[in-house]
């Protein structure tokens, strides 16, 4: 169908074709074509300013691309705005923690479920919706190990738990594709290890496809099935952890720069 | 939980017995306080629960007052018909205004609501044939509850009508903010971007709550016109919108019952001091500043915080 990609076998859950976004003269993302298979855990890495977060905004629909297409389950969703893409099954977290600070931990997750399952314009009553969404929210909090903090205000949680809360909100929506933007950002080594374990568990239990933007190379090599490397907005390499480690271009662009 | 239920019950009992305790002019003042309370409570729906600060909420109070006055004066319908007309007109005008205003957020939303409200004020001021211009519409009668039904002409009867409307509105608004819709509003207030990325466009929610708030403000205005016997452009002026914001903040933003109390406090200060000095606003301003500094969360927010601690 497209000369850019060889798509063999099953339809990828997510595919981008020649995806690009320019901010004025700056080409933040350029010609990115990638395909993520169902149940895959894909990491996107790259130096600061490589366009990783912009790529996430393009996939989740918060930004409209200036070139290319986004396909989800084989359908072109490029024209859909962020809410519609979420309803189709793409949920995400943010690099800078984005929660509802003055609502309870439980309500943060519950509203995420409610917004997905609907009946949002019930002006009176709506007990059934509230209870159903609360049930799913509690399940998700348990999965992330936050169930004992359900009644606290989200703003009072420590940073690490707020990062987990965001994952709980996204996971509670039972998406097909989960986008995690630097889930371990700002975490201590212990919290990072715990978060990695939780992500692996969520992926397994919920049978999720995950795309992960991450700076921590240990996390990436530990978690990811495949890794895509962005550099100045372009995809310069893609492969397994071993292949990426061995890739000379990647080492020059990124890994070497860290030492 | 139990104390708040108790105090609600106490408030209901108090509302029911005061007509036999208070003198006529005091009862009339209380009626005034309740009408202002309903107005402030309706503003709290958008301001406290959705985070949309409107600088033009008086417009819907005014629309309700004019609609009610005209229906009573020209068609001599029972008061509830006038109330319905006031609420409906306010809600109907809020649809296009809300549709435009909710395209903006924050201060730009506030400025758009202010602009629309001042436009409506000007219409009320200039459309002499319909509104009586700066004189307004005087001689609005208190028609009965229904034809052949009880008269509302006595101050006690009209007080009960107002109290019933306010209590009923409070219960409806409380149900709304606790419904799935109301929960969504609070999420919008907390983080609009997160809300969007969780699968819904906030704008339809904002439009709907804007219209609901206008309907209740319209109801308050529709009670005001027969109570005072007139409707005039001042009730649509931006000053009244600003006073609404003060009432909400003094009483406790996002509590519904707080703004009712805030409005009562505000009007009481005005009522008591304006017989001594025309500079009563100075005192109101001082009280407002003191509450903002020393009682964050307003009267009810502070009471709840203390209650939770003790």
């Amino acid at each position: 169908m497209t000369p850019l990609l060889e798509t063999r076998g099953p339809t990828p859950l997510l595919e981008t074709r020649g995806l690009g976004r320019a901010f004025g003269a700056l080409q933040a993302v350029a010609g990115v074509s990638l395909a993520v298979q169902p149940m895959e855990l894909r990491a996107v890495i790259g130096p600061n300013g490589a366009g990783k977060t912009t790529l996430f905004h393009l996939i989740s629909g918060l930004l409209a691309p200036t070139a290319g297409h986004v396909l989800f389950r084989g359908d072109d969703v490029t024209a859909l705005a962020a809410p519609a893409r979420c309803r189709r099954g793409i949920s995400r977290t943010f690099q800078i923690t984005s929660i509802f600070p003055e609502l309870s931990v439980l309500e943060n997750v519950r509203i995420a479920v409610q917004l997905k399952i609907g009946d949002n314009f019930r002006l009176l009553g709506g007990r059934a919706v509230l209870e159903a969404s609360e049930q799913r929210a509690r399940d998700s909090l348990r999965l992330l190990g936050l169930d004992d903090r359900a009644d606290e205000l989200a703003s009072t949680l420590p940073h690490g738990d707020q990062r987990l809360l965001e994952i709980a909100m996204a996971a509670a929506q039972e998406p097909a594709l989960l986008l995690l933007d630097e889930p371990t950002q700002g975490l201590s080594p212990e919290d990072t290890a715990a978060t990695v374990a939780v992500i692996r568990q969520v992926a397994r239990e919920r049978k999720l496809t995950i795309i992960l933007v991450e700076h921590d190379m240990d996390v990436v090599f530990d978690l990811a099935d495949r890794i895509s490397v962005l550099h100045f907005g372009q995809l310069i390499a893609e492969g397994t952890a071993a292949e990426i480690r061995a890739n000379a271009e990647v080492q020059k662009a990124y890994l070497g720069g860290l030492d | 939980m139990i104390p708040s239920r108790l105090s609600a019950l106490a408030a209901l009992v108090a509302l029911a017995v005061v007509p036999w305790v208070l003198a006529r002019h005091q009862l009339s003042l209380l009626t005034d306080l309740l009408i202002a309370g309903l107005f402030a409570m309706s503003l709290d729906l958008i301001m406290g629960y959705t985070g949309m600060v409107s600088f033009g909420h008086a417009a819907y109070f005014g629309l309700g007052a004019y609609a009610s006055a005209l229906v009573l004066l020209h068609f001599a319908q029972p008061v509830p018909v006038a109330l319905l007309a006031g609420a409906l007109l306010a809600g109907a005008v809020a649809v296009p205004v809300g549709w435009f205003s909710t395209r903006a957020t924050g201060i730009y939303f506030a400025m758009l609501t202010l602009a629309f409200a001042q436009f409506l004020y000007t219409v009320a001021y200039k459309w002499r044939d319909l509104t009586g211009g700066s004189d307004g519409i005087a001689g609005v009668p208190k028609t009965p509850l229904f034809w052949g039904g009880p008269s509302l002409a006595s101050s006690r009867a009209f007080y009960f009508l107002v109290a019933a409307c306010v209590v009923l509105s409070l219960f409806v608004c409380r149900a709304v903010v606790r419904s799935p819709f109301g929960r969504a509003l609070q999420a919008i207030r907390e983080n609009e971007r997160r809300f969007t990325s969780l699968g819904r466009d906030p704008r339809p929610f904002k439009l709907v709550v804007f219209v609901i708030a206008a309907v209740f403000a319209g109801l308050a205005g529709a009670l005001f016109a027969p109570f005072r016997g007139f409707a005039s452009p001042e009730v649509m002026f931006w000053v009244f919108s600003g006073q609404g914001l003060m009432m909400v903040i003094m009483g406790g933003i996002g509590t519904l019952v707080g703004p009712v109390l805030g409005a009562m406090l505000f009007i009481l200060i005005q009522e008591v001091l304006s017989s001594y000095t025309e500079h009563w606003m100075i005192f109101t301003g001082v009280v407002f500043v003191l509450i903002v500094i020393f009682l964050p969360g307003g009267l009810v927010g502070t009471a709840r915080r203390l209650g939770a601690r003790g």
Side-chain angles (χ1 to χ4, degrees), chain B residues 6 10 12 25 33-34 45 95-96 100 119 124 169 184 201 219 251 254 261 285:
Chain B
L6 266 182
L12 278 179
H25 73 277
L33 301 183
L34 286 172
L45 282 178
V95 172
F100 279 108
F119 167 76
S169 300
D201 179 357
L219 176 63
L261 300 179

Side-chain angles (χ1 to χ4, degrees), chain A residues 62 83 86-87 92-94 98-103 107 110-112 114-116 118-126 129-130 166 169 173, chain B residues 171-172 175-202 204-205 208 212:
Chain A
L62 279 186
C86 175
R87 292 203 294 277
R92 68 167 294 174
T93 68
F94 287 86
S98 185
I99 54 176
F100 303 114
E102 296 306 309
L103 302 181
E107 180 62 8
R110 199 204 58 77
I111 196 74
Q114 183 195 307
L115 294 181
K116 182 79 179 271
D119 221 6
N120 287 292
F121 284 92
R122 275 297 286 261
L123 295 174
L124 300 168
V129 191
L130 294 175
E166 240 201 297
M169 292 160 73
Q173 293 198 309
Chain B
F171 278 116
V172 171
V176 167
V177 300
R178 291 173 177 192
S179 70
F181 173 76
R183 304 288 199 94
L185 297 181
Q186 292 164 66
I188 290 171
R189 174 193 72 201
E190 290 296 311
N191 189 341
E192 200 164 331
R193 191 162 100 127
R194 194 62 177 116
F195 188 91
T196 305
S197 74
L198 287 173
R200 298 288 154 178
D201 179 357
F205 291 85
V208 169
I212 294 174

Side-chain angles (χ1 to χ4, degrees), chain B residues 76-123:
Chain B
Q77 291 296 312
V79 165
V81 176
L83 299 185
L84 198 66
L88 285 182
L89 178 69
V93 173
V95 172
V97 173
W99 193 83
F100 279 108
S101 303
T102 55
R103 302 180 84 83
T105 55
I107 191 73
Y108 302 100
F109 170 79
M111 288 301 117
L112 280 173
T113 54
L114 174 62
F116 279 113
Q118 287 301 92
F119 167 76
L120 291 167
Y121 165 79
T122 309
V123 170

Side-chain angles (χ1 to χ4, degrees), chain B residues 207-264:
Chain B
L207 177 58
V208 169
V209 73
F210 189 76
V211 172
I212 294 174
V215 164
F216 283 106
L219 176 63
L223 287 166
F224 175 87
F227 173 62
R228 289 285 189 86
F230 71 90
S232 66
E234 284 88 78
V235 294
M236 301 184 83
F237 200 49
W238 66 268
V239 169
F240 189 43
S241 297
Q243 290 175 346
L245 299 176
M246 290 174 74
M247 294 169 184
V248 171
I249 291 168
M250 281 161 70
I253 187 166
T255 62
L256 290 180
V257 70
V260 178
L261 300 179
M264 292 177 142

Side-chain angles (χ1 to χ4, degrees), chain A residues 4-239:
Chain A
L4 292 167
L5 276 175
E6 302 168 44
T7 43
R8 284 186 222 104
T11 323
L13 184 72
L14 180 88
E15 194 180 345
T16 69
R17 292 183 184 164
L19 199 59
R21 170 73 200 201
F23 295 103
L26 174 74
Q27 192 70 42
V29 169
V32 170
S33 296
L34 51 81
V36 180
Q37 301 301 328
M39 303 274 292
E40 185 180 337
L41 207 159
R42 170 73 59 98
V44 176
I45 64 171
N48 278 326
K52 304 182 295 292
T53 292
T54 303
L55 178 64
F56 258 32
H57 288 343
L58 295 175
I59 294 173
S60 64
L62 279 186
L63 275 176
T66 45
H69 296 271
V70 178
L71 284 81
F72 184 62
R73 291 178 168 143
D75 298 328
D76 192 329
V77 296
T78 316
L80 295 183
R85 290 193 205 182
C86 175
R87 292 203 294 277
R88 286 207 179 194
I90 304 177
S91 291
R92 68 167 294 174
T93 68
F94 287 86
Q95 184 180 1
I96 295 161
T97 310
S98 185
I99 54 176
F100 303 114
E102 296 306 309
L103 302 181
S104 76
V105 168
L106 176 63
E107 180 62 8
N108 266 266
V109 185
R110 199 204 58 77
I111 196 74
V113 178
Q114 183 195 307
L115 294 181
K116 182 79 179 271
I117 66 176
D119 221 6
N120 287 292
F121 284 92
R122 275 297 286 261
L123 295 174
L124 300 168
R127 188 163 286 249
V129 191
L130 294 175
E131 277 169 7
S133 50
E134 183 175 327
Q135 202 50 52
R136 259 170 72 174
R138 287 198 186 275
D139 290 344
S140 184
L141 283 174
R142 210 168 299 126
L143 185 63
L144 274 294
L146 289 171
D147 39 341
D148 53 338
R149 319 204 74 155
D151 296 328
E152 292 174 35
L153 281 188
S155 60
T156 63
L157 288 186
H159 174 71
D161 285 347
Q162 290 190 359
R163 303 294 295 169
L164 288 178
L165 173 58
E166 240 201 297
I167 300 176
M169 292 160 73
Q173 293 198 309
E174 295 178 3
L177 175 64
L178 176 58
L179 306 172
L180 300 175
D181 198 347
E182 292 199 37
T184 68
Q185 189 250 6
L187 296 188
S188 68
E190 302 83 60
D191 282 351
T192 299
T195 301
V196 167
V198 156
I199 291 171
R200 188 176 283 129
Q201 193 192 350
V202 170
R204 199 186 317 120
E205 283 194 21
R206 295 291 169 93
K207 301 196 170 14
L208 286 177
T209 308
I210 294 179
I211 306 178
L212 174 88
V213 161
E214 191 50 70
H215 267 302
D216 189 323
M217 283 306 128
D218 294 333
V219 171
V220 169
F221 289 133
D222 193 6
L223 271 177
D225 300 317
R226 292 178 69 77
I227 298 167
S228 301
V229 187
L230 276 181
H231 190 44
F232 292 123
Q234 289 181 318
L235 207 55
I236 59 165
E238 191 182 306

